[in-house]
Amino acid sequence: MKTDKQQRTSDHRLTIEPLGQTIDVEEDQTLLAACLRNGVWLPHACGHGLCGICKVQTLDGDLEHGEASPFSLMDFERDEGKCLACCATMMSDMTIEADIEPAPDAQYLPLMDFTASVSRIEDLPPTIKGGSLPSTVPNRCVSSPASTSVNLWIGDETTPRAFSIASAPSAGEIELNIRHVPIGKVTSYIHGQLAVSEEVRLPGPLGRFFVRKSDPRPLLFMAGGSGLSNPRSMILDLLESGDSRPITLIQGTRNGGELYYRAEFKSLAERHANFHYLPVLSGEADDSGWSGDRGYVHELAARHYNHDFRGWRAYLCEPPPMIEACIATLMQGRLFEKDIFTEKFLSAADASQGTRSPLFRSL
């Protein structure tokens, strides 16, 4: 495969196997962007070459690899013809093979571009900002099971960042909870300079981290830090729709000051007998007066369910080390990969560690 710069003078055709579907690709458009904008879903998460989830096999044609992290796309994988769809651009007509499996309850909506003015900004824990974009953003971007995130373009940044949607589909707005990454230009701008009424661009919907509503089994959500966004959106949607299956949320933070939305979840648990809220703190001071559980999310889950997760479906949305620990605990408790769903956004610092899960093929 060609990786040196070449002059592109025309659009190309991309065939996606095993679908057998062929789409038009615009000049300088990545494989992932072309597929999503044509309603063809490819596995993906971060959207900028860090996580490796969008890795596909090229069967023919020439490409440029773009800014793919060497940790997510190894040299030997490049030699084998693999590429990251979120970074790769086409130099000719191409055929790729992707790991695409039909998923119950999935919706396949073309990716579209929206603009909106920030309507509200609030402090949650010290390291997380909550921001809302008004209902002028089309409701399709907040109401679809496929719309777990949007790409956010800030100012003159040339690379967007993906952020999970925290609001319920019925809210009529997109609420984002954004953790400050000290070395991150976008999150530093959001925490230090972003102002109400500022206009932002946000392509969406993105992602496929959604509840399989047609499956009647009970649901276990495990969340840490700003990973609470998607579980909050999902739980609000489930309870508003009258879902009666058992639903448990285990929220883990370091201390009580970071335990945001606690009052909301306690209120939901009081109003809905099928919803159980279990907060746990890993670094709370001994003399703080905290009388709840201490430790980590996976430790509390093991204690609460006596190391037996059979019959459940688990949804994990946490920093990478917490996801690894939760997967290990769930599998030791006889819950297997087909019943565990994850959402993991990586920062550049996360990707630089180059870690891959030995437990879970999709991580």
Side-chain angles (χ1 to χ4, degrees):
M1 294 298 160
K2 298 178 182 178
T3 57
D4 55 310
K5 292 288 182 181
Q6 299 184 25
Q7 181 64 36
R8 285 181 287 270
T9 58
S10 63
D11 299 346
H12 300 297
R13 301 273 287 169
L14 175 65
T15 300
I16 305 101
E17 298 293 354
L19 301 179
Q21 185 170 345
T22 300
I23 61 174
D24 292 317
V25 180
E26 298 177 4
E27 185 176 358
D28 290 318
Q29 195 172 41
T30 67
L31 304 184
L32 179 61
C35 287
L36 295 179
R37 290 181 183 277
N38 281 275
V40 178
W41 184 87
L42 294 183
H44 65 280
C46 75
H48 46 275
L50 298 178
C51 69
I53 291 175
C54 67
K55 193 177 299 176
V56 297
Q57 177 70 49
T58 59
L59 302 180
D60 59 53
D62 298 330
L63 61 87
E64 291 179 0
H65 283 293
E67 300 298 324
S69 163
F71 298 105
S72 299
L73 186 67
M74 304 292 187
D75 288 340
F76 77 87
E77 293 179 307
R78 298 172 191 242
D79 294 339
E80 292 173 350
K82 293 182 173 63
C83 69
L84 299 186
C86 70
C87 298
T89 52
M90 297 171 60
M91 305 301 302
S92 68
D93 290 354
M94 284 183 58
T95 302
I96 62 172
E97 185 174 42
D99 184 14
I100 304 175
E101 298 179 0
D105 307 302
Q107 291 188 14
Y108 302 96
L109 300 176
L111 178 69
M112 299 180 67
D113 296 303
F114 306 109
T115 59
S117 297
V118 178
S119 60
R120 177 172 55 87
I121 300 175
E122 62 178 320
D123 290 321
L124 295 170
T127 58
I128 299 176
K129 287 279 188 183
S132 295
L133 304 166
S135 57
T136 52
V137 177
N139 196 50
R140 66 182 294 279
C141 206
V142 295
S143 62
S144 163
S147 57
T148 60
S149 65
V150 292
N151 265 344
L152 193 64
W153 294 81
I154 297 290
D156 297 326
E157 282 295 315
T158 58
T159 303
R161 290 294 181 264
F163 295 108
S164 299
I165 296 174
S167 46
S170 63
E173 66 176 10
I174 292 178
E175 181 178 342
L176 306 176
N177 299 160
I178 299 173
R179 175 175 63 96
H180 183 213
V181 179
I183 65 171
K185 292 175 63 178
V186 171
T187 63
S188 293
Y189 180 88
I190 290 170
H191 276 254
Q193 301 178 56
L194 185 68
V196 172
S197 299
E198 185 170 337
E199 187 173 272
V200 297
R201 292 177 290 156
L202 57 159
L206 289 164
R208 202 167 66 156
F209 183 62
F210 61 92
V211 175
R212 277 65 177 173
K213 291 186 177 181
S214 62
D215 188 319
R217 283 176 286 181
L219 305 173
L220 172 60
F221 294 92
M222 306 169 78
S226 58
L228 187 62
S229 297
N230 277 158
R232 177 178 183 253
S233 176
M234 294 172 172
I235 290 168
L236 290 174
D237 182 41
L238 288 165
L239 296 178
E240 287 176 2
S241 66
D243 197 296
S244 60
R245 81 188 94 177
I247 302 169
T248 299
L249 168 65
I250 303 180
Q251 179 190 6
T253 63
R254 288 170 297 184
N255 56 65
E258 297 179 352
L259 205 59
Y260 68 113
Y261 292 132
R262 181 188 177 196
E264 177 183 57
F265 289 124
K266 288 181 64 177
S267 176
L268 288 172
E270 292 169 357
R271 302 198 315 267
H272 300 273
N274 62 316
F275 175 60
H276 304 280
Y277 173 54
L278 304 175
V280 60
L281 305 180
S282 61
E284 182 74 356
D286 293 337
D287 59 356
S288 69
W290 170 256
S291 60
D293 285 290
R294 293 176 181 268
Y296 295 97
V297 168
H298 66 284
E299 294 172 338
L300 176 54
R303 293 195 300 268
H304 187 76
Y305 291 102
N306 196 27
H307 300 274
D308 187 352
F309 300 99
R310 287 174 293 180
W312 289 79
R313 276 203 153 183
Y315 292 81
L316 318 182
C317 200
E318 309 173 277
M322 294 179 67
I323 282 187
E324 290 285 342
C326 288
I327 289 173
T329 297
L330 292 169
M331 287 186 164
Q332 290 165 7
R334 303 180 69 177
L335 192 68
F336 301 104
E337 183 173 349
K338 64 183 178 63
D339 296 317
I340 303 173
F341 305 94
T342 67
E343 179 77 316
K344 179 175 66 173
F345 288 141
L346 298 178
S347 69
D350 295 325
S352 67
Q353 299 174 17
T355 56
R356 307 292 294 173
S357 173
L359 302 171
F360 214 61
R361 66 181 176 85
S362 61
L363 293 181

